[in-house]
Amino acid sequence: MLQCTAVALLKPPDFLFAVSAVSVPGSCPEAGHVLCELGEDHVDDHATMLWDEGGRPGSAVWVRWNTECSARRLVSYSWCSARDARREACELFAGHRSAHSWSVTDPTDEAITQTLAALHPQLFPEYRDGEGRPDL
């Protein structure tokens, strides 16, 4: 399944403007974009992990936003406890209602990987067919 392609521009919180003016005169925090990490089948708000909460093991801060980008909020979620057949953990939050991360493919990342595999097949053995040729 492909990854959701929703994008939102995230403005820094107002308190960062005050802090940056004091700590680094002349600097100004800039807005940045976030990409939804959920599978394209999700029916609830979009979500992107911003940072892992090192002080609270097993949780991370996520930004959630609606389709119109009119409502954005930061939330702390525990990690999804699901594991795949190779015992790799899902990289999404507990209770997400879309496919687990190992079933979600980022189309941009996949396109870049396939291009690099064609140019440098020795670096991407998983993209080779049984005869050793690039299997793209």
Side-chain angles (χ1 to χ4, degrees):
M1 163 181 313
L2 293 178
Q3 181 176 330
C4 177
T5 57
V7 178
L9 191 62
L10 195 61
K11 182 182 149 233
D14 290 337
F15 73 86
L16 279 182
F17 290 98
V19 170
S20 67
V22 172
S23 61
V24 185
S27 71
C28 183
E30 296 181 21
H33 70 279
V34 291
L35 306 170
C36 183
E37 295 182 34
L38 302 174
E40 64 185 352
D41 68 337
H42 76 90
V43 294
D44 49 351
D45 286 349
H46 302 289
T48 296
M49 189 202 60
L50 295 179
W51 65 84
D52 185 58
E53 291 187 287
R56 292 186 51 208
S59 64
V61 173
W62 294 73
V63 61
R64 302 293 308 262
W65 71 96
N66 62 9
T67 303
E68 299 80 31
C69 291
S70 60
R72 296 181 190 115
R73 65 193 187 285
L74 298 180
V75 290
S76 176
Y77 287 138
S78 297
W79 290 105
C80 178
S81 60
R83 295 190 177 270
D84 69 3
R86 295 175 298 174
R87 305 284 304 143
E88 291 188 27
C90 177
E91 298 172 356
L92 299 173
F93 54 88
H96 64 88
R97 291 189 282 167
S98 71
H100 292 294
S101 62
W102 56 78
S103 297
V104 177
T105 301
D106 177 344
T108 303
D109 184 59
E110 187 62 23
I112 291 168
T113 300
Q114 287 191 12
T115 300
L116 289 172
L119 294 171
H120 308 284
Q122 72 280 8
L123 300 176
F124 297 88
E126 66 275 20
Y127 282 83
R128 294 174 160 280
D129 66 10
E131 303 292 318
R133 296 181 300 260
D135 184 24
L136 306 174

